[in-house]
Every structure is written in C-alpha cells, then in structure tokens.
Amino acid sequence: MIRVAVAGAAGRMGQMVCAAVDGADGLTLTGRADPVLDTAVADVLADADVLVDFTRPDTALDNARAALAAGVHVVVGTSGFDMEGLREAARSSQAKAFFAPNFAIGAVLMMKFAAEASRVMQRAEIVELHHPAKLDAPSGTAARTAELMAGDVPIHSVRLPGIVADQEVVLGDVGQTLTISHRTIDRTSFMPGVLLAIRRVADLPESPTVGLEHLLE
Ligand SMILES: NC(=O)c1ccc[n+]([C@@H]2O[C@H](COP(=O)([O-])OP(=O)(O)OC[C@H]3O[C@@H](n4cnc5c(N)ncnc54)[C@H](O)[C@@H]3O)[C@@H](O)[C@H]2O)c1
C-alpha cells in the first residue's frame, strides 16, 4: 500500500484527487491538508509515502520542500511556482519529486504534436483558456508547450466562466494554418495521470522529473 496525503485537499483538484486515491487499488489516503480543513502539510507528512500538491503558486514550493525534507516523495500539479527551487530541494533529498503542468493524456499529446509541427511550419501562437479563478497566467501547460516548441511562441491567456482548461496551438505557413486543440471537459481527465505519478514517483531515475510523457514512454 502506498500511503498518500493530499495538499489542497479541499480545492477543486484536491477533492477529486482524494476521491481517486480512495478508490484506487494499492493506494490509501492518509491525510488531507488544507487551511480550510485546519490541517497543515506538516501534520500529514509523518503518515505519508507520497504528498500530492494541488494548492497555489505561492505555497506549492514550500509544501514540496517540507515533503522532501521529511523523506516523502512529492507529486506536484500546481502551476506557476519556482521550478528552480524544486530542483534545489530535490538535489538534497533521497525522496523524489515529480511535476506535470498537465496530467491529462490529451494535453500531453497536444504538446508533443505542437512541438513536432513547430519544427516544420513557419510560426505559431498559443491561446490558452481557463476558468476565472485560475491564479497564474500564462498557464503551466502553455508555458511548457512553448518551451518544447521551436522558435519564439507568443501565448495569449483567456479567463472566462464555463471553461475548465483548454488550449489551442495555431501554426501558420504559406496559404494555410494548422490548429491543434485540446479541451478539458471535466477534471476527472487528470486523475489517471495523477494516480500513475503517485505509483511511479518513488522509482524515478531523475528528480525532479517534469512531464507526464516520461511516465508513459
Ligand atoms: N497539473 C495539472 O494537470 C493541473 C490541472 C488542474 C489544475 N492545476 C493547478 O492546480 C492548482 C490548484 O487548482 P484548483 O483549481 O484545485 O485550485 P483551488 O483554489 O480550488 O484549490 C486550492 C486549495 O489549496 C488550498 N491551500 C492553499 N494554501 C495551502 C497550503 N499552504 N497547504 C495546503 N493547502 C493549501 C486552498 O485552501 C484550496 O482549497 C492550480 O495551480 C492549478 O493551476 C493543475
């Protein structure tokens, strides 16, 4: 049994992760940390093998640091935090860290196809669309997509009610465009990726590992 604690357990993603862990074979939910639940991350680490963090850009790194310092592996889904800080913390810990800007398989494929297309077509721009409560812009997925693509790729951020997490990569060339589009219908789309990361984080050859694609290959 892998013992799992969730940081941000009362949030939109955290609640889903708790339910997914609860229903998964070989995993047991041992802690729910969230200020809303009056439980700090420090209170759940002693009973956990893995901490999953879906919190805020300004708290995710501190949570990850606390987990790694306590010898607890950490799976981070929060976007917009300082990756260099995570790299530093991972260097001085036996415990492993994993971060994915997007845990949905379709988004991982979108990033892969966009990277491939950018090596052939002249120019590209990214439009990312999210719900208005999202704190960071551009999204972690858009930033990562641009990083993987060739050339300088501008990102446009849209925040509107009714949207979960969508992205379009539009590529242009002589007399044509190509649009690669991913739409998140429901946050359940992220759960298979989160469960996979929880199961694999302890055995990662590299820490931190960034991107779900590394667990799928
Ligand atoms: N990687 C992915 O696939 C993916 C998918 C969706 C969302 N996200 C990211 O996940 C993060 C959370 O998104 P959300 O929509 O669930 O947000 P949310 O606001 O619904 O939930 C965040 C929760 O974190 C709690 N929190 C704040 N500080 C905390 C701390 N120090 N310790 C523990 N909990 C704390 C809040 O009280 C809140 O309940 C965001 O950064 C979002 O961009 C990533």
Side-chain angles (χ1 to χ4, degrees):
M1 274 287 178
I2 303 174
R3 299 171 305 157
V4 183
V6 177
R12 282 175 289 259
M13 286 295 289
Q15 287 183 46
M16 284 220 164
V17 173
C18 288
V21 168
D22 238 356
D25 288 343
L27 307 183
T28 176
L29 183 67
T30 54
R32 297 173 196 250
D34 199 302
V36 172
L37 304 173
D38 272 332
T39 307
V41 165
D43 301 335
V44 300
L45 290 176
D47 294 325
D49 302 309
V50 178
L51 178 76
V52 181
D53 184 285
F54 280 95
T55 57
R56 302 166 48 98
D58 56 356
T59 58
L61 180 57
D62 283 344
N63 292 345
R65 278 194 187 121
L68 290 169
V72 174
H73 307 296
V74 64
V75 171
V76 184
T78 309
S79 52
F81 71 95
D82 169 28
M83 262 308 291
E84 197 41 51
L86 183 63
R87 284 198 188 95
E88 242 169 63
R91 240 175 263 140
S92 50
S93 174
Q94 293 292 325
K96 302 290 176 69
F98 178 83
F99 165 67
N102 202 311
F103 282 92
I105 179 69
V108 173
L109 292 170
M110 168 192 60
M111 289 188 255
K112 183 182 159 87
F113 299 152
E116 191 179 334
S118 71
R119 320 236 175 267
V120 185
M121 294 188 73
Q122 271 184 27
R123 280 181 48 200
E125 303 208 2
I126 295 172
V127 184
E128 58 95 341
L129 309 93
H130 282 80
H131 58 90
K134 183 168 177 59
L135 296 177
D136 56 321
S139 71
T141 303
R144 178 69 176 156
T145 309
E147 207 174 271
L148 295 170
M149 291 173 72
D152 190 20
V153 184
I155 301 172
H156 309 274
S157 299
V158 177
R159 298 289 175 264
L160 283 175
I163 301 170
V164 179
D166 298 348
Q167 179 166 301
E168 288 184 6
V169 182
V170 187
L171 299 110
D173 210 314
V174 183
Q176 61 190 306
T177 64
L178 168 67
T179 302
I180 302 168
S181 172
H182 179 254
R183 181 152 300 161
T184 309
I185 310 295
D186 190 275
R187 290 183 176 82
T188 48
S189 59
F190 302 117
M191 295 307 123
V194 173
L195 295 179
L196 178 66
I198 292 169
R199 292 191 165 107
R200 298 279 300 279
V201 64
D203 299 322
L204 289 176
E206 204 174 302
S207 176
T209 291
V210 177
L212 194 68
E213 61 274 19
H214 299 292
L215 306 186
L216 301 171
E217 279 157 8

